[in-house]
Amino acid sequence: MSERTDIDWQSARAAIARGVKRLEHPELSDVERQRILRERAQNLARPLATPEANASGDQIMVFVVGEERVALPLAAIRELVTHPVIAPVPGAAEAVAGVMQIRGEIRPVFDLDVMLRTGSGGARNVVALARYRNREIGLRVDSVEDIRALPAGSLSHERPDDPRIQAVTRDFVQILNLDALLDEHWNETGGA
């Protein structure tokens, strides 16, 4: 094996020595270091939600399922799992994608594409863990698009005919009624 000649080892050693020296003898004064730490703490303590969201308290998480954009109230979502390992359940209803293990506990996972009958067959690389009647269940979706506030007047005035849809935003995101959606499929599965 030939030795690499394109590395300037002397410069590399000098750069490492300079880094070690800076770590041992920082150039910042204690006053400057305290100012930087205080500024970082203030930035980290700033709320993530917008004032508009804090006023109404209504926020949604928007998901992509095939060609559809659907949402759930943010308060219903407990956690997102990307690229989940889902074990199939032989003989389960079509809407049941399978089960997955979360911190040692088994959770049923429902396929939102099948539940909504979109027929897209998308990637479904994300599982949103949500609360349903004192249980934690998973909803398999293609991706997460956004978290947004619902300011007054942001919903369309039409009431959807489908009881599984709670409301529709002006940009046609369907806000799902999780209880109605899962009640329909929970009964089919015998309680998953």
Side-chain angles (χ1 to χ4, degrees), residues 89-111:
V89 178
E94 184 183 10
V96 177
V99 294
M100 64 185 292
Q101 182 182 14
I102 300 293
R103 290 176 290 286
E105 294 185 20
I106 303 299
R107 300 284 185 253
V109 179
F110 291 86
D111 192 325

Side-chain angles (χ1 to χ4, degrees), residues 63 80-84 124-128 139-144:
F63 301 101
L80 295 174
V81 180
T82 58
H83 304 290
R124 295 190 297 282
N125 290 324
V126 178
V127 169
L139 295 170
R140 195 170 179 188
V141 299
D142 291 352
S143 62
V144 177

Side-chain angles (χ1 to χ4, degrees), residues 131-152:
R131 292 296 292 173
Y132 165 68
R133 305 208 187 279
N134 296 323
R135 295 179 183 94
E136 191 172 84
I137 57 95
L139 295 170
R140 195 170 179 188
V141 299
D142 291 352
S143 62
V144 177
E145 181 181 279
D146 195 11
I147 294 176
R148 66 168 81 158
L150 286 178

